[in-house]
Amino acid sequence: MPTPETILKSTFGYDTFKPLQREIITNVQARRDTLVIMATGGSKSLTYQVPALMFSGLTVVVSPLIALMKDQVEQLRALGVPALFINSSLSPEEYQGNMDAVRRGEIKLLYVAPETLLTPRIFSLLSSLKLDLLAIDEAHCISEWGHDFRPEYRQLAEVRKKFPSAVCMALTATATPRVRADIMSTLGFSQANEFQSSFNRENLFIEVRPKREGVAQTLRFLENFKDQSGIIYCFSRRQVDELSDAIARHGFSVRPYHAGLEDSERRRNQEAFIRDDVQIIVATIAFGMGINKPNVRFVIHFDLPKNIESYYQEIGRAGRDGLPSHCLLLYTYADVNKIRYFIDQKDDPERSTSMQHLDAMTRYAEGSICRRKPLLAYFGETFVNENCGACDNCGTEQTAQVDITIPAQKFLSCVKRSGERFGAAHVVDILLGSKNEKIEKYNHHELSTYGIGKELTKSQWMHISRQLVERGLLEQEPAYRVLSVTAKGLEMLKSREQVKGVVLSGSKDQINEAQKKERGARVKSSEFEYDRSLFSQLRNKRKELADEAGLPPYVIFSDKTLVEMAGYFPQSQESLLNISGVGKVKFERYGAAFLAIIKEYCRSNKIDEKYKAPAREADKDAGRRYITVGEAYNAGESIQSLMKRYAVTADTILNHLARFILAGNPLRSAEDLIALSNLSPDQQMAVFKAFDTMGSDALKPVYEKFNNTISYDELRILRLCYLCEER
């Protein structure tokens, strides 16, 4: 009998599973219904494709989009896996032919749309066969709380009941805790069978820049990505057309995509992008669902997305092959007002919900903390690292923090004295002693805070207000952005507790430049060294073979596979099969062509083949190291012993344990951990109280609260103790 590992290697060409894949497959093999929440690029599809090749019967995959089905089937057939789809894009003859192939038992995986699955014709077909697995992709469409709810998806619960012997899987890349609970309730899943990987996409560099000259900024950015694939999202069709024309005039390979184009033109443009005939697509949000192109090196949001869920899904289209990619959002408050205008046309409760989503998106764009913290928190995940090293706010060019206690007191007092009925702009006008009509109307020129903030500019005050909201000293009502002082803010006013933050310097036009310098395309360079010239030749051969076969190039081999070929220079069947992504079928079909190029290149340039070591057990477990560490600690192993075993610092072990407990696992008594602390009991209690009021997600605010007198090492130990007690 084949094992998941042998199928992974022989069919898909991979040595090791990614985090959670093996556990999910084991759960499905045991015929337990399973919910999978796995970030884009985490290879969710493998978790049902591998069991499908182990089960004797048929696997049905429900997918919402024709393009997605077509892509998946093309990739599986290129691997030698018998797969088909049935949907409305087929001619009557093709439709019947595919049904006959399924009926004859020639197919292992059948892809269908939910509305197709609900038809009597398909139900009758499936009832006559052994259905082992029903996989529901894009499962967030089931939930009324999901960003892409589809009523026909809701009906899948009834379909599932008609095939009680089939194990059921629901898979999604974007689901908040509320959506996850709704999916499980609708399908009747047990919570014990929920598998959630991290939403963190480590290979994505995430950046927000103030938008001033959007077109010029976009063109400068694109100069760093010559001949590479990327998607640019715009708010309106008109903006798509204008930006696409401007980019084309500067010599870039680009096409537009939006609902205003003819269906045939839209399909041609999408196909040209998928097949690498065009490098850049400029689109509205209508583009992207069902696009599984793995070599998208950048995603630009030319306009502000409406909500974090959509934003996360859209940036998730970059770097699906695991290689470094760049996500840029150009932000201006004018975009907020534009979206707000359209939201105001809606009725409650939709209007209120949309406004809350927009407010969360605005806070994210204006925030000065690590981009991953609010992004992952939206999906219920805590990002424990202080510095992700892959976003603009965690870059090396940080503006120094200073004591802003007095400006903070002035601002909070002004919010209070003006009745907590106004937004930040009006509060700043009071502080600056403005003589505008609104100030006069409300007699705010008579307030004691009127004119007490002339030492700072309006832009500086606005930036301070955003920091006070970030720190929980102010609350901002989402619909009209009215500010009010929180209990934490009132306590700060009474105790005169120190507040640290950033006061930007320079004129109004220079403020944003100082806040976020335009650093160019700061994609982290790949740690893996490879020969760019050979990579280019391999990429050209891939395109040639793909065009001959009528396939997208990535179906032949991914960029990641070509990068390994150009780094290890394999020159035999054995060594080429050792390259990630090269399975037996692909070697038989394409191996000779690529080996010929590599051998000739190495001969001409006097290059020797590099040895690629087989995957070690330690490498296989690296993605789940935190689980191994947590379980070893619970079994009685000490911090020092774990440090020695993995040759890492105490800081790394403590982070693993924090991740272990945040994933919902119990950790043995905190007494062993508290013994590691050198602080007095009173100091320890003070830190715990700080975690109570400030949260334990980020250590920096707590570090600053104690005026940098308690080290990060101590705070990590005490946070772990705190999390143990909290659990």
Side-chain angles (χ1 to χ4, degrees):
M1 283 288 291
T3 66
E5 284 74 18
T6 58
I7 290 174
L8 181 73
K9 182 59 182 172
S10 63
T11 302
F12 298 95
Y14 301 123
D15 292 318
T16 59
F17 284 106
K18 291 183 178 180
L20 283 186
Q21 284 181 332
R22 187 63 176 86
E23 293 88 331
I24 294 166
I25 290 167
T26 300
N27 205 57
V28 174
Q29 280 182 283
R31 296 194 169 272
R32 290 192 284 265
D33 295 332
T34 306
L35 173 63
V36 178
I37 303 100
M38 190 174 282
T40 304
S43 299
K44 292 187 300 299
S45 55
L46 270 179
T47 63
Y48 62 78
Q49 289 169 350
V50 170
L53 296 178
M54 300 185 73
F55 287 141
S56 59
L58 179 68
T59 290
V60 171
V61 183
V62 181
S63 182
L65 292 164
I66 290 171
L68 192 59
M69 291 184 224
K70 184 172 180 287
D71 181 87
Q72 291 275 0
V73 169
E74 282 178 342
Q75 292 196 58
L76 286 170
R77 293 182 78 84
L79 294 165
V81 176
L84 286 176
F85 61 79
I86 294 178
N87 59 41
S88 59
S89 72
L90 298 173
S91 67
E93 294 76 21
E94 290 172 324
Y95 198 104
Q96 187 60 50
N98 285 2
M99 286 190 65
D100 290 342
V102 173
R103 189 176 285 110
R104 290 192 298 268
E106 298 170 2
I107 303 303
K108 292 298 292 180
L109 288 107
L110 174 65
Y111 286 75
V112 296
E115 54 271 19
T116 303
L117 185 59
L118 296 167
T119 61
R121 188 180 183 186
I122 296 298
F123 178 72
S124 174
L125 170 67
L126 297 179
S127 297
S128 67
L129 301 168
K130 183 188 180 190
L131 180 61
D132 272 327
L133 174 59
L134 175 64
I136 303 171
D137 204 4
E138 308 294 341
H140 56 269
C141 298
I142 289 174
S143 174
E144 291 179 307
W145 309 111
H147 67 279
D148 193 27
F149 171 61
R150 303 189 180 201
E152 62 272 19
Y153 252 79
R154 201 81 170 172
Q155 298 175 51
L156 294 176
E158 293 304 313
V159 174
R160 188 214 162 201
K161 290 176 185 175
K162 293 175 181 176
F163 298 97
S165 62
V167 61
C168 185
M169 290 182 76
L171 307 100
T172 179
T174 53
T176 62
R178 187 181 196 182
V179 170
R180 296 200 291 272
D182 196 21
I183 293 170
M184 298 190 81
S185 172
T186 302
L187 295 176
F189 284 10
S190 161
Q191 197 162 0
N193 297 310
E194 177 181 351
F195 293 83
Q196 181 189 336
S197 71
S198 172
F199 284 94
N200 184 24
R201 297 282 308 285
E202 293 181 351
N203 63 312
L204 301 186
F205 185 89
I206 305 173
E207 181 177 16
V208 181
R209 293 185 195 167
K211 181 165 72 174
R212 294 185 301 281
E213 298 171 341
V215 175
Q217 287 173 285
T218 300
L219 291 169
R220 285 198 296 273
F221 181 90
L222 294 179
E223 288 294 335
N224 295 282
F225 290 91
K226 290 284 190 181
D227 302 319
Q228 298 198 54
S229 289
I231 305 171
I232 304 175
Y233 285 104
C234 297
F235 183 77
S236 68
R237 301 175 187 179
R238 178 182 173 184
Q239 185 67 72
V240 166
D241 290 333
E242 290 177 355
L243 184 58
S244 178
D245 289 344
I247 291 171
R249 285 196 301 272
H250 283 78
F252 291 97
S253 171
V254 61
R255 295 272 180 89
Y257 186 102
H258 58 70
L261 299 174
E262 292 288 334
D263 287 349
S264 57
E265 184 180 1
R266 210 163 53 239
R267 279 196 301 272
R268 280 197 307 273
N269 291 354
Q270 177 170 301
E271 196 72 11
F273 178 68
I274 289 171
R275 294 180 185 273
D276 282 348
D277 294 326
V278 166
Q279 299 305 317
I280 302 167
I281 203 91
V282 183
T284 56
I285 57 169
F287 179 82
M289 277 291 284
I291 299 303
N292 196 29
K293 184 176 165 67
N295 64 331
V296 174
R297 292 279 72 88
F298 64 89
V299 169
I300 300 175
H301 280 88
F302 192 82
D303 300 305
L304 186 73
K306 295 176 184 177
N307 56 65
I308 285 180
E309 206 160 343
S310 297
Y311 171 72
Y312 178 83
Q313 187 179 55
E314 286 153 16
I315 65 172
R317 286 161 193 153
R320 293 189 176 196
D321 54 11
L323 296 179
S325 304
H326 198 120
C327 305
L328 172 66
L329 166 61
L330 296 176
Y331 173 72
T332 173
Y333 197 71
D335 286 347
V336 179
N337 290 330
K338 184 166 56 180
I339 298 172
R340 190 185 299 277
Y341 171 79
F342 288 102
I343 291 175
D344 282 337
Q345 315 307 310
K346 300 178 180 180
D347 296 324
D348 276 329
E350 186 184 3
R351 178 185 174 279
S352 177
T353 302
S354 298
M355 205 65 85
Q356 289 173 22
H357 287 319
L358 176 60
D359 190 52
M361 190 70 231
T362 304
R363 287 198 306 272
Y364 167 81
E366 295 178 350
S368 58
I369 61 172
C370 171
R371 296 289 174 200
R372 281 169 166 76
K373 287 185 183 293
L375 204 55
L376 301 185
Y378 184 84
F379 297 103
E381 179 179 343
T382 301
F383 186 68
V384 297
N385 295 348
E386 289 303 306
N387 188 314
C388 75
C391 79
D392 55 335
N393 285 340
C394 288
T396 54
E397 302 170 38
Q398 292 289 300
T399 308
Q401 293 214 337
V402 297
D403 187 343
I404 61 166
T405 307
I406 292 175
Q409 289 172 338
K410 288 181 178 181
F411 200 97
L412 295 175
S413 297
C414 195
V415 170
K416 231 11 184 169
R417 292 179 188 281
S418 57
E420 299 179 301
R421 296 171 50 210
F422 301 91
H426 183 70
V427 174
V428 171
D429 282 344
I430 298 171
L431 290 167
L432 292 175
S434 174
K435 296 180 180 178
N436 64 38
E437 186 179 331
K438 194 173 179 181
I439 296 282
E440 299 284 337
K441 176 182 176 181
Y442 291 101
N443 294 321
H444 285 166
H445 57 290
E446 296 176 3
L447 295 177
S448 60
T449 51
Y450 180 73
I452 65 169
K454 292 180 179 179
E455 73 278 10
L456 299 177
T457 67
K458 184 161 189 171
S459 294
Q460 288 171 320
W461 275 118
M462 291 296 288
H463 187 236
I464 284 175
S465 77
R466 289 192 287 270
Q467 292 176 79
L468 298 180
V469 172
E470 257 180 26
R471 285 159 174 71
L473 301 172
L474 282 174
E475 187 172 13
Q476 194 164 42
E477 185 270 330
Y480 300 102
R481 301 183 70 76
V482 170
L483 293 173
S484 59
V485 181
T486 64
K488 187 176 173 183
L490 287 172
E491 180 60 32
M492 179 264 166
L493 279 173
K494 289 176 187 174
S495 65
R496 299 182 178 273
E497 181 184 328
Q498 187 186 53
V499 180
K500 283 199 166 186
V502 175
V503 178
L504 301 172
S505 59
S507 67
K508 183 177 179 181
D509 291 337
Q510 294 169 329
I511 291 293
N512 284 332
E513 191 68 24
Q515 183 184 0
K516 300 217 188 314
K517 295 178 181 178
E518 294 203 14
R519 306 179 183 103
R522 287 190 45 200
V523 180
K524 288 197 297 185
S525 60
S526 174
E527 293 177 4
F528 186 75
E529 289 298 320
Y530 64 97
D531 190 303
R532 265 66 175 174
S533 179
L534 175 57
F535 174 80
S536 180
Q537 290 186 32
L538 296 173
R539 191 167 65 169
N540 291 339
K541 172 53 72 173
R542 179 181 66 179
K543 181 75 171 91
E544 178 189 317
L545 292 171
D547 288 346
E548 288 173 4
L551 295 170
Y554 59 80
V555 171
I556 307 293
F557 287 126
S558 71
D559 274 14
K560 191 170 186 179
T561 299
L562 298 189
V563 162
E564 277 204 14
M565 289 183 190
Y568 288 111
F569 310 102
Q571 296 175 49
S572 67
Q573 175 177 342
E574 183 184 6
S575 53
L576 189 60
L577 281 168
N578 202 25
I579 296 295
S580 177
V582 183
K584 289 180 180 177
V585 172
K586 285 200 174 181
F587 176 82
E588 290 167 4
R589 292 180 181 176
Y590 314 117
F594 286 87
L595 275 177
I597 292 172
I598 297 168
K599 286 179 178 178
E600 175 56 29
Y601 187 85
C602 291
R603 186 191 64 77
S604 300
N605 294 279
K606 297 182 173 57
I607 297 173
D608 294 326
E609 179 176 333
K610 291 183 181 177
Y611 174 69
K612 183 189 178 188
R616 298 175 297 126
E617 287 302 314
D619 295 329
K620 294 178 182 180
D621 188 51
R624 299 181 63 250
R625 177 72 51 80
Y626 74 97
I627 294 178
T628 310
V629 169
E631 289 174 347
Y633 180 79
N634 279 343
E637 198 161 341
S638 68
I639 301 289
Q640 289 74 15
S641 171
L642 289 165
M643 288 165 58
K644 187 174 180 180
R645 189 208 294 189
Y646 293 108
V648 295
T649 63
D651 177 32
T652 300
I653 297 299
L654 291 172
N655 277 333
H656 279 318
L657 293 177
R659 188 176 172 193
F660 181 77
I661 196 169
L662 286 167
N665 302 298
L667 207 61
R668 66 180 165 94
S669 173
E671 291 177 10
D672 295 334
L673 293 168
I674 204 78
L676 298 172
S677 173
N678 294 315
L679 298 181
S680 69
D682 287 344
Q683 287 175 308
Q684 292 170 359
M685 191 55 64
V687 172
F688 292 145
K689 286 181 178 177
F691 284 142
D692 279 337
T693 58
M694 306 177 81
S696 60
D697 291 356
L699 295 180
K700 193 172 183 180
V702 181
Y703 179 71
E704 291 171 350
K705 174 183 172 62
F706 292 100
N707 298 320
N708 311 350
T709 58
I710 298 177
S711 71
Y712 275 113
D713 288 341
E714 284 286 355
L715 292 177
R716 286 187 184 94
I717 293 167
L718 294 177
R719 174 170 64 183
L720 203 48
C721 298
Y722 179 80
L723 289 172
C724 282
E725 293 302 319
E726 196 177 48
R727 288 293 183 276

